[in-house]
Amino acid sequence: MTTIDTHVGVSTHTTGSSFVASVGQWVTSSDHKKIGRLFIGLSLLYAIAVAVIGALIGFERINPDGAQFFDADAALQLTQLHRHALVFGLLAPLFIGLAIAVVPMQVGARAIALPRLAQLGFWGWALGTDLVLISFIANGGPGGGSSDMVDLYLLGLGLSLAGLLAGAVSVATTVLTSRAPGMGLMDVPAFSWSALMGSVASVLSLPVAIGTVAYLYVDHTYSQTAFGDNKVINTWLGWVYAQPQTFVLIVMALGVLAEIAPVTARTRQPLRPVLLAGIALITTATLGAVTQTAHVLDLSGTTGDKLSSTILFLFFNGLPLLGALVTVAVAMLSFKEGRPGVNASFAFALLGALMLLAGVAGSFVQHIGDAALVGTSFGEGVTAYVVYGGLLAALGGITYWAPKLWGVVLDDKKVLGLAGLGFIGVVLASLPLYVAGFADQPVDAVNDFDYSGPLGLWNVLAGAGSAVIALVVLAYVGLLFAAVRKGAGASDDPWDAHTLEWSIPSPAPADNFAALATVSSSEPLLDVKPSQEVPA
Amino acid sequence: MDTVSRVKSSRRRILGTLVGIAASATLAGCAQNAPQDTWEPKGPNAEMIHDLDNLVFPIAYVVGIIVLGLALYIFWKFKDRGQEIPVQGHGKPYMEITLTVVPALILSVVGVFTFRTIFDLAETQDTEIVINVTGQQWWWEYDYPVQPEHGINQPIVTSGQLVFPAGTKVLLRETSRDVIHSYWIPALNGKKDAVPGRVHLLRLEANEPGLYAGQCAEFCGLSHANMRMEAIALSKEDFAKWVANQQKAYVPPAAGTVEAEGEAVYIAQCARCHQVNGLKDAQGKPIISAPDEYVYSGAAPNLTALMTRNTFAGAMFDLVNEKCRADVWGAPSEKFGEAYLKGVTEDCLNQKDLRAWLRNAPEMKPMYAEPNLLGPSDGKYRGMPYLALTEDDIDKLVAYLLTLK
Amino acid sequence: MFTTGSKYFIGLTALSVVATVLYLFLVNPSDLGALALVGLITSAATLSGVSIFTRDSDTETVEQAVDASAGPASASFWPIVVALGAAMVLLGLATEPVVFVLGIAVLVGGGVEWMVQGWSDRASANAAYNSEVRAKVLGGIEYPGLSAVLTIIVAFLFSRIFLAVSKDAATIFFMLVAAVIFALGFVFAARTDLRKKALSVVLPVSIALLAIAGVVSALSGERKQLVDAAREDHFAIEHRECGEEASKYYDKHANNRVPLRKAVIATITVENNEVSAKMIGLDRKVDTITIPRMNSTTVLFRNLDDSERRLVVNLGSAKVGDTDVVEPLGTCTQLTGKGQEQVLTLTIPKPATAEEPFSFTVPGANGEIKLVVP
C-alpha cells in the first residue's frame, strides 16, 4: 500500500515585498529550488554569451588576416575563454543547478542535504567565474599578457570548480541519505539516479582538476619552471575542458531523457535495472578524466604495442560510449512498450541525447590515431556536440519541471519549435567543425592557417549555428519570463507523471512535503492512479 | 610606681629628647669643616640668596615666635578644667580681616625681594663663559664649547671637577642623559634640576680661587648619594694654563715601556667606552669610543687629561692621596691654583682606591653593573662593569693612566 | 547482501583497479594519471565501505527517515559572505595584498558566524529561542565589529575627501561639518521628541552624502600637490631630499619628531640669505654649536626670508649595510615659510671625523654653522 500526501502548501511566491527584501531573500535563501534556479538562470545567461563568442570565432576564421572582430593577440585568449565558458559557465552549472532544484523533491525529501553548502556552492561558482571573466578582460587567462591576471584566471577557475564541487556534494548526499521511507536506491527516479552518478563522478574528478589548478598556480606564480609559461597552461589544464571530463557532466542530460521518455510514453520504464546500469557506466569517464591524458588508439609498432593501445583506448573511451548507448536505447524502449507520442520537453531531451551521442561517438573516433584528428577542430566539434547537446537536454528538463519550479507550463508548440531550431543550431555549430577537422583545421586557433576554399563555408556554418543557439536560448528565456509574468497556471501533475514531486502543489512549497510519503516502487504515483496506465 | 609618677617620668624623657635634638642642631651650626654650608656664600649668586635669607629669616623668626607663643598661651589658658563651654558665635570680622591682611603684607614684602632675587639670578645677558653640564647615573660631564676669547679652540670634555675662572660670570647649560638630576654647589648658587630633553641655565661665579663642593640634589637612583661634584675656581691666568693643558696634543708612551703596554690594555679594555682624545690604533686611525653601545646613558667619562683632576668615579673617590689632597684643600686662595695645577703625580696618586676600582668597580659603587640586573636598561650598564683585569694589567693601566696629564 | 549503492561503488573500485593495472603495465607506473587512479581506488573503496555499512541509508518508516524529514534550513547570509571572502582572498593573491588580508578577515568572520548559526539552529525546536541564543553569543562581537567596520569606512571616505580637496578648503569644510554635527547633536539632545524621526532621516542622508562625496573624491583623484609629489617619487623610501626642493609641495623624509620648543639649545636663523646662529644663554651670534654627545638636543630653525627654506644637518657619511654604497647621513626640517619656525631634535652618538666635520646648512642660503660633538 502506498500512501501519498498530496497536501496543498503555501506558495513560495513573494508578492508585495520590496526589491531589496526580495534580493535579500535570494541571497540568503537555503531553499534548494531557489539555489537551483540561480544556477540555471546564470548558466543560461552564460549560454547566450558563449554562443555569441562561438559565432564570433566562426566568422573570424573566414578571414583571420582581416581581423574583423578581434586582433590576432586576442585569438588564443578568446578560444580559451570559449572553452572555459562552454564547460564551466554552461554545461556543469546547468545540470548541477537542475539537480539541486529537482532531486530533493524527486526523492521525497523536505529539503536538500547540506543546504548552506549548496548555497556556498552557487556563490563560490558565480564569484569564481566572475574572477575568470575579470582576468580575461584584464588581459589574463591562458595566453594572457598580464602575469597577475593569468594567476587570477587560475585562482578564479579553482574557486568556481570548488563551488561546483560543493553543489555536487550536496546533490549526492541528498540522494544517498535523504530519500523518502521505502525508497531504496534502486527505486530512485532515473533523473535522481543520474544526478547521483554525475555528482559522484564530479566529486571524484573535480578535486583532481582543482589540484591541477593549484600546482599550475604555484608554478606560474613562483617559478614557471615545471609547467611552462602562460601560453601553455592549457596543455596541463586542457583535459578539464575536454572529453572524457565533459562526459562526467552529461550523465544528468541522459538522465533527463530517461526520466521524460516513460512519462511521455505513459508506461513504466522497461528494463529499469539495465537503464540504471547504463547511466552508471557513463561515469567510467571519470577514470579517463583523472588520468589527465587522451588515450589515443595507435596502431603502429609491434603487436604488443597495438594491443596495449587498443586495450587502453577501449577501456577509457569505449566504456562511456557503451553506457551512453545503453542508456538512450533503454530509455527509448519505453515507446515500444507504451504509446508513442511527443511533447516539447521530450523533444528537447531526445534531440539533446542524440547530439550527445554524436559527441561521444565523435570523441571515440577522434581518439583513433589513424584518423589524425587530435589537435584539429574536430575536438571543438565534439565539445560543441556535447555541450550544446547537454544544453538541449537541460532545456527539456527545465520545460518538464517548470510547473514545480515556477508554477508554469510553457506553450508546448512554441517550445517544440525552439527544440527543432535548437537541433538545427547544434548540428550547424558542431558538424562543420568535424568536417573542418578532417581538413586539418587546427584546434583552438584562428591564425596561421589557410581558411580559403570550402573551409570558409564550414566555419561560416559553425558560426551561424552558434548564433542560432544564442537566439534559441534567448527566445526560451523570453518564453519562460513571459509565462512567469503571466502567473501560475500549472496543475499539480500536468504530465501525468510517475514520481513524488508531482504529488505536491505547483509551484512547490518551501518545505516540499508537509508530511513524508512512504513509497514501495520506483513509480509511486502510478501505483495510486493505475487506471491511467497503459497496459504493458 | 603610681600612674601619676609614671606620667611625669615619661614626660621628662620626652622633654630630654627634644632638648637633646635642639642642642645638637644648634651646635652643628658651629662645624668648621662643612664645605656644603649654605650660610657661607663664596660668590655673588650665593650672596644674593644669602642676602635674601638675611631679610626673610628674621621676619620668619619673629612671626614664628609670635605664633608659637600665642598657641602655647591659648593651650594653657583654655585648657579643659571642667568650665562651661563658651558661646559659639559666628566670629569677629575685624579680627579675621586683620589676621588675613597682616600675613599678606608680610608675604608681599618678602615676595618683592624674593622675586627680585630670582630674576637677578636668572640674568644671563652678561655671561662671560659657557659650560655644558650633563648629568647621568652617577656622574657629571662638563664640556666646554669653543670660545676663543678664553683660549678654548677645540671642545674640552672633562668630568668630576668643574674648572672655571674666578671672578667670571659662568653660565652652566644643564641637561641630563637619563633621569632627572640636580646640580648644586651651595657656596656658589642654589639648586637647578638637570632634566632629560631640556636645557636649564645656572649661573656660577666665585669671588676667589678655591674648591667648592656639591652634591646631586635630586634622587636619581642607587648611587645618588655618591654623585658628587667639585667646582674648582682658578685665577684667570691659572685657568688659561688649565685650558692650554687640556688642549695639548696626545703624546703616546714610548714603545717598549710599561706605559705603552698599559696603552694596549687600555685600548683593549677601556677605549670602547672611555674617550682619550688623540689615541690611535695600530693602523693610525683615531679611536672613537662607543659608550652609546654599552652604557645606558650613552656616555662614559672622557679620560683625556684624567690626572689633572683630583677625583674619579663621579667625584666619589679621591684620585690623590690624603696628604696631597690636604695640600690642595688647605692652600690659601692665592696659592690654590698652583697647588691644583700640579695635578696628580706618581707620589700623590691614590693607588689603593684606583686599583680597587679597576679590580672590581661595581663593588666600590652600587651601579646595577651586574649582568643579571640589566633587564630594565636593555642589557646596557649604568656604570663601569667588572672587567676581570689581572693584577699585571692593572699595574700597566695605572702606569698608563699616570701619563694622561 | 550488497545494496544497489554499494554495488555501484564496488564496481567503480574494481574498474579503478583495472585502470591502475593497465597504467602500471601499459603506460607508465610513475605517470600522474596512475597516481590519480590510486586516489580514485581509495575514494571509491571508502564509499563502497560506507555504502555497505549504512545499507544505502535505506529507511522503511517515516520515523526512521530523519534526513528526509529535516525541514529546510533557515535563511543564511553567511554562505555568500564566505564565498565573497574566498573570492577576495584569491583576488588579493593575484593583485593587492590588502585585498587578501581583507578577504581573510571576511572569510574568518563569515565562517565563525556560519558555525554559530549552525550551532544555534540546532539548539532547540523553537526558532525564536534559537535566534536569541545566537544573538547572545555573537551580539557582543557583532555590534562592536560592525561599528568598527563602519567607522573605518567613514574614516576612509573622509580621508579621500581630505586628499582630494585643497588644504585650505579641507580646513574650512571640516570646520563646517564639525559645527553642523555639533548643532545637530545639540538639537537632538534638547528635543527628545524629534530624535527618532529626525535621526532616521538625517543619518541615512548624511551617510549617503558622505558616500557620494567620498566616492567622487576617490574617483577624481588626489589633489595636484599630492599627485605631483607622487610623480616626483617623494613617497619612495630612497627619496631623501634635504637639498633645494625639486617640488615645492611635500617632503616625507624630513625629521618628523615633535620636539620641545621650550628647550632649544640653539636657534639658527636665515635672514637676507645669510645663515646665523645663537645659542641659549648667550646674546651673540656664534659660528659653532656644541651639543653633548648622545643626548637628545633640540635646535630651532627660523626663516625670515621670503622663499621657503629648510635646515639641513650634515652628519658625515656611512656605508649602506654591507654594500660599498656610501650615503650621506643627516636629516632636515620640512620646508619652512617666511616667519615660520621648525625644530630639529638630534641625538648624535659619536663625534665627527676630521675629514667630514658636522655642520648645519640651509640650501639656497649662504653660510654654514659648524656642529661640534665632543
Side-chain angles (χ1 to χ4, degrees):
Chain A
M1 170 71 202
T2 304
T3 55
I4 290 167
D5 182 276
T6 53
H7 87 105
V8 178
V10 188
S11 151
T12 49
H13 273 294
T14 56
T15 48
S17 56
S18 73
F19 174 73
V20 176
S22 136
V23 168
Q25 228 172 15
W26 280 97
V27 163
T28 62
S29 175
S30 59
D31 178 0
H32 65 93
K33 296 173 288 293
K34 278 205 165 82
I35 301 168
R37 280 152 68 190
L38 284 172
F39 261 118
I40 293 168
L42 200 52
S43 309
L44 289 180
L45 280 183
Y46 281 130
I48 299 170
V50 81
V52 170
I53 295 175
L56 286 181
I57 292 174
F59 297 138
E60 181 73 21
R61 271 174 171 159
I62 304 164
N63 181 12
D65 298 334
Q68 292 103 326
F69 302 112
F70 44 86
D71 63 70
D73 285 345
L76 178 59
Q77 280 162 282
L78 209 62
T79 52
Q80 300 297 339
L81 174 62
H82 186 229
R83 269 176 85 172
H84 171 84
L86 276 173
V87 179
F88 292 113
L90 167 54
L91 188 61
L94 192 54
F95 281 107
I96 296 268
L98 194 60
I100 287 175
V102 171
V103 163
M105 290 189 285
Q106 281 210 312
V107 299
R110 298 184 64 212
I112 194 169
L114 313 173
R116 287 183 191 145
L117 185 68
Q119 230 181 316
L120 178 68
F122 171 73
W123 295 111
W125 166 73
L127 291 170
T129 308
D130 286 347
L131 291 185
V132 170
L133 289 180
I134 291 171
S135 80
F136 273 107
I137 290 167
N139 195 15
S146 160
S147 187
D148 281 348
M149 288 302 117
V150 175
D151 285 350
L152 187 63
Y153 159 74
L154 290 169
L155 294 166
L157 177 61
L159 182 60
S160 65
L161 292 178
L164 293 171
L165 182 62
V169 167
S170 211
V171 169
T173 310
T174 305
V175 182
L176 284 174
T177 67
S178 302
R179 298 187 306 279
M183 187 187 278
L185 264 186
M186 207 62 186
D187 299 324
V188 297
F191 178 69
S192 288
W193 174 259
S194 72
L196 173 66
M197 295 294 106
S199 302
V200 165
S202 295
V203 169
L204 292 173
S205 61
L206 287 180
V208 183
I210 294 172
T212 309
V213 169
Y215 65 60
L216 280 173
Y217 168 74
V218 171
D219 182 62
H220 185 263
T221 307
Y222 298 106
S223 72
Q224 301 193 6
T225 50
F227 302 106
D229 61 13
N230 57 339
K231 299 253 183 205
V232 296
I233 281 176
N234 273 8
T235 311
W236 306 94
L237 207 51
W239 68 271
V240 175
Y241 302 118
Q243 298 67 32
Q245 173 63 31
T246 48
F247 298 161
V248 168
L249 307 169
I250 51 131
V251 180
M252 286 186 239
L254 297 177
V256 171
L257 176 70
E259 181 75 35
I260 298 176
V263 172
T264 308
R266 295 174 181 274
T267 177
R268 289 181 194 262
Q269 173 65 51
L271 295 181
R272 189 177 153 81
V274 180
L275 178 82
L276 299 194
I279 292 172
L281 200 54
I282 306 173
T283 60
T284 52
T286 315
L287 299 170
V290 300
T291 60
Q292 306 163 49
T293 319
H295 297 281
V296 177
L297 179 65
D298 180 6
L299 293 178
S300 60
T302 63
T303 316
D305 290 344
K306 282 176 191 164
L307 191 64
S308 73
S309 179
T310 309
I311 292 172
L312 285 169
F313 170 74
L314 287 177
F315 186 83
F316 288 109
N317 295 307
L319 286 181
L321 176 62
L322 181 65
L325 286 171
V326 167
T327 305
V328 174
V330 175
M332 294 315 291
L333 266 185
S334 308
F335 285 88
K336 196 182 160 214
E337 309 249 330
R339 59 171 172 244
V342 78
N343 61 23
S345 54
F346 172 70
F348 255 131
L350 178 64
L351 293 173
L354 292 176
M355 297 296 95
L356 287 172
L357 283 183
V360 178
S363 168
F364 188 81
V365 173
Q366 188 198 359
H367 287 92
I368 297 172
D370 285 348
L373 293 170
V374 175
T376 69
S377 62
F378 193 92
E380 285 179 62
V382 173
T383 307
Y385 264 127
V386 169
V387 174
Y388 290 138
L391 173 66
L392 294 188
L395 290 178
I398 293 167
T399 311
Y400 180 70
W401 281 293
K404 291 297 150 199
L405 300 182
W406 290 278
V408 297
V409 177
L410 296 180
D411 186 297
D412 208 60
K413 277 191 187 133
K414 285 181 188 162
V415 178
L416 206 54
L418 283 182
L421 200 58
F423 169 71
I424 296 170
V426 177
V427 172
L428 281 180
S430 318
L431 192 61
L433 291 172
Y434 274 15
V435 179
F438 282 107
D440 293 334
Q441 176 172 308
V443 68
D444 290 341
V446 171
N447 308 89
D448 304 326
F449 186 71
D450 181 11
Y451 293 97
S452 59
L455 270 183
L457 176 66
W458 296 125
N459 284 308
V460 169
L461 288 177
S466 289
V468 170
I469 290 167
L471 288 175
V472 166
V473 177
L474 201 60
Y476 185 88
V477 172
L479 271 182
L480 189 60
F481 251 104
V484 172
R485 266 185 75 101
K486 213 171 120 193
S491 62
D492 289 356
D493 185 13
W495 316 121
D496 202 8
H498 306 170
T499 45
L500 280 180
E501 73 267 33
W502 305 104
S503 69
I504 55 174
S506 297
D511 58 352
N512 299 349
F513 300 87
L516 285 190
T518 303
V519 299
S520 58
S521 82
S522 47
E523 289 94 2
L525 253 63
L526 278 191
D527 296 346
V528 294
K529 43 184 179 181
S531 58
Q532 296 166 9
E533 192 182 353
V534 175
Chain B
M1 207 192 278
D2 60 29
T3 317
V4 175
S5 62
R6 199 182 295 153
V7 169
K8 274 185 184 165
S9 132
S10 74
R11 273 186 190 168
R12 211 171 290 140
R13 224 177 291 148
I14 291 168
L15 200 67
T17 313
L18 286 175
V19 169
I21 291 171
S24 25
T26 313
L27 288 172
C30 306
Q32 288 304 303
N33 183 18
Q36 292 175 206
D37 188 341
T38 47
W39 290 94
E40 285 188 28
K42 300 285 174 59
N45 299 294
E47 278 161 5
M48 275 188 255
I49 298 172
H50 192 248
D51 290 348
L52 184 65
D53 287 349
N54 283 344
L55 171 76
V56 174
F57 272 72
I59 298 174
Y61 280 135
V62 172
V63 171
I65 286 167
I66 291 173
V67 170
L68 200 63
L70 274 172
L72 287 174
Y73 168 73
I74 289 165
F75 289 159
W76 178 76
K77 168 87 177 162
F78 299 104
K79 190 176 169 187
D80 182 9
R81 298 186 183 87
Q83 71 269 48
E84 279 185 23
I85 294 174
V87 179
Q88 303 291 302
H90 171 71
K92 292 183 172 135
Y94 291 113
M95 194 177 219
E96 283 174 20
I97 290 170
T98 310
L99 287 180
T100 307
V101 169
V102 171
L105 285 176
I106 296 171
L107 286 177
S108 304
V109 173
V110 172
V112 166
F113 289 99
T114 305
F115 280 116
R116 195 177 155 174
T117 306
I118 287 173
F119 281 108
D120 285 349
L121 285 171
E123 182 62 53
T124 60
Q125 293 303 311
D126 50 358
T127 296
E128 289 169 285
I129 183 167
V130 176
I131 303 170
N132 293 332
V133 177
T134 311
Q136 50 264 297
Q137 290 169 323
W138 289 272
W139 56 283
W140 295 94
E141 183 182 78
Y142 306 104
D143 78 72
Y144 298 70
V146 171
Q147 289 161 96
E149 63 274 27
H150 292 288
I152 305 173
N153 300 315
Q154 66 185 62
I156 297 169
V157 186
T158 176
S159 61
Q161 290 184 316
L162 169 72
V163 180
F164 63 99
T168 306
K169 293 179 173 59
V170 181
L171 181 73
L172 302 187
R173 287 199 290 238
E174 286 180 33
T175 184
S176 163
R177 287 191 173 102
D178 41 34
V179 298
I180 300 179
H181 302 276
S182 187
Y183 199 81
W184 189 30
I185 307 286
L188 301 181
N189 203 339
K191 302 165 185 175
K192 184 76 88 178
D193 279 5
V195 180
R198 295 185 65 86
V199 180
H200 290 170
L201 303 178
L202 178 67
R203 283 284 288 271
L204 290 187
E205 186 177 349
N207 295 332
E208 298 288 334
L211 192 153
Y212 308 95
Q215 168 68 46
C216 176
E218 177 73 41
F219 181 71
C220 59
L222 204 56
S223 263
H224 166 63
N226 300 320
M227 188 172 170
R228 309 222 296 255
M229 50 272 210
E230 290 177 358
I232 310 290
L234 298 174
S235 67
K236 288 190 172 116
E237 300 75 37
D238 287 341
F239 182 69
K241 285 183 201 164
W242 181 83
V243 166
N245 186 57
Q246 296 290 320
Q247 296 180 103
K248 75 171 192 286
Y250 176 73
V251 183
T257 60
V258 66
E259 288 83 357
E261 289 178 36
E263 188 192 48
V265 175
Y266 181 89
I267 290 173
Q269 294 283 359
C270 317
R272 60 176 174 269
C273 288
H274 292 287
Q275 181 75 29
V276 167
N277 298 348
L279 185 64
K280 292 190 167 100
D281 63 13
Q283 286 79 42
K285 250 177 79 182
I287 294 176
I288 307 278
S289 62
D292 50 295
E293 292 164 28
Y294 302 99
V295 187
Y296 180 59
S297 63
N302 184 311
L303 301 183
T304 303
L306 174 67
M307 290 299 160
T308 63
R309 308 167 201 167
N310 287 176
T311 62
F312 70 99
M316 182 181 175
F317 302 106
D318 289 333
L319 198 52
V320 288
N321 60 30
E322 263 179 60
K323 184 191 160 295
C324 294
R325 180 159 177 88
D327 287 348
V328 178
W329 281 68
S333 191
E334 62 277 10
K335 297 273 185 189
F336 176 77
E338 193 187 332
Y340 182 73
L341 288 179
K342 272 187 197 162
V344 185
T345 59
E346 197 168 354
D347 303 336
C348 277
L349 182 66
N350 178 0
Q351 298 262 359
K352 182 174 150 281
D353 284 343
L354 182 60
R355 282 169 182 276
W357 179 256
L358 293 174
R359 208 167 283 129
N360 190 355
E363 202 172 58
M364 303 280 286
K365 186 177 182 180
M367 294 184 298
Y368 289 123
E370 295 299 321
N372 56 349
L373 293 175
L374 303 179
S377 55
D378 298 332
K380 291 181 175 173
Y381 294 101
R382 288 180 198 265
M384 186 154 126
Y386 171 64
L387 291 170
L389 296 175
T390 63
E391 288 304 315
D392 188 38
D393 285 342
I394 293 173
D395 287 344
K396 291 172 186 168
L397 260 183
V398 170
Y400 170 66
L401 291 177
L402 269 170
T403 67
L404 301 175
K405 292 183 178 177
Chain C
M1 165 68 198
F2 293 112
T3 55
T4 310
S6 59
K7 279 183 208 159
Y8 168 67
F9 287 121
I10 289 167
L12 194 61
T13 313
L15 283 173
S16 310
V17 172
V18 173
T20 311
V21 171
L22 288 178
Y23 249 69
L24 289 179
F25 288 102
L26 302 180
V27 187
N28 184 358
S30 63
D31 190 276
L32 208 57
L35 189 70
L37 285 169
V38 171
L40 198 59
I41 295 174
T42 322
S43 311
T46 309
L47 289 170
S48 312
V50 171
S51 202
I52 293 173
F53 181 75
T54 61
R55 310 293 307 154
D56 278 0
S57 304
D58 282 346
T59 53
E60 295 304 324
T61 65
V62 173
E63 287 70 34
Q64 290 171 329
V66 178
D67 284 333
S69 61
S74 59
S76 176
F77 189 53
W78 307 118
I80 188 175
V81 171
V82 168
L84 198 66
M88 282 170 77
V89 164
L90 300 178
L91 190 63
L93 273 179
T95 57
E96 296 293 319
V98 62
V99 180
F100 177 79
V101 174
L102 282 177
I104 294 279
V106 172
L107 207 55
V108 170
V112 169
E113 291 273 9
W114 187 340
M115 280 196 294
V116 174
Q117 192 184 16
W119 163 79
S120 70
D121 278 355
R122 287 188 294 272
S124 76
N126 181 346
Y129 171 78
N130 292 350
S131 106
E132 195 183 311
V133 165
R134 198 201 77 84
K136 239 182 218 168
V137 173
L138 280 182
I141 301 167
E142 272 176 358
Y143 284 101
L146 208 60
S147 32
V149 170
L150 277 178
T151 309
I152 290 168
I153 292 172
V154 167
F156 182 77
L157 290 172
F158 267 119
S159 72
R160 293 309 97 184
I161 302 174
F162 261 125
L163 290 172
V165 299
S166 80
K167 268 188 190 175
D168 296 336
T171 314
I172 294 165
F173 176 64
F174 282 94
M175 277 164 66
L176 286 176
V177 169
V180 169
I181 291 174
F182 179 74
L184 284 176
F186 183 80
V187 170
F188 290 141
R191 294 281 306 275
T192 44
D193 51 324
L194 267 180
R195 214 178 275 169
K196 201 171 172 186
K197 229 178 187 179
L199 267 184
S200 65
V201 176
V202 169
L203 265 185
V205 167
S206 38
I207 286 173
L209 282 178
L210 176 62
I212 292 167
V215 170
V216 168
S217 307
L219 291 179
S220 68
E222 297 174 351
R223 63 170 167 268
K224 187 178 179 306
Q225 287 97 320
L226 296 176
V227 175
D228 287 354
R231 197 188 59 236
E232 288 168 13
D233 210 18
H234 282 255
F235 301 112
I237 198 81
E238 304 80 26
H239 185 96
R240 299 183 66 90
E241 191 166 85
C242 281
E244 276 187 273
E245 275 300 308
S247 152
K248 62 177 182 170
Y249 299 120
Y250 190 68
D251 186 14
K252 198 176 160 74
H253 288 281
N255 187 303
N256 283 327
R257 279 205 267 174
V258 180
L260 290 161
R261 285 271 278 103
K262 282 287 182 195
V264 294
I265 197 165
T267 302
I268 297 177
T269 309
V270 58
E271 186 170 19
N272 301 327
N273 234 16
E274 289 293 331
V275 182
S276 62
K278 272 187 183 179
M279 287 198 78
I280 185 172
L282 276 184
D283 192 24
R284 58 170 184 267
K285 289 181 177 173
V286 294
D287 58 4
T288 304
I289 292 174
T290 306
I291 66 174
R293 194 169 158 179
M294 197 57 199
N295 198 6
S296 80
T297 305
T298 303
V299 176
L300 181 91
F301 172 60
R302 183 177 291 146
N303 178 20
L304 300 177
D305 280 355
D306 287 336
S307 48
E308 290 194 318
R309 302 276 193 215
R310 69 166 83 242
L311 177 67
V312 179
V313 55
N314 311 295
L315 299 174
S317 57
K319 283 187 177 176
V320 181
D322 293 334
T323 67
D324 284 334
V325 180
V326 176
E327 198 177 63
L329 296 178
T331 182
C332 55
T333 66
Q334 294 180 6
L335 277 183
T336 308
K338 185 180 183 180
Q340 293 180 338
E341 293 173 344
Q342 292 260 344
V343 271
L344 264 189
T345 296
L346 305 166
T347 303
I348 305 173
K350 295 188 178 58
T353 58
E355 300 81 47
E356 288 187 314
F358 297 161
S359 67
F360 290 104
T361 52
V362 176
N366 303 321
E368 176 191 76
I369 307 295
K370 278 176 266 181
L371 168 61
V372 175
V373 180

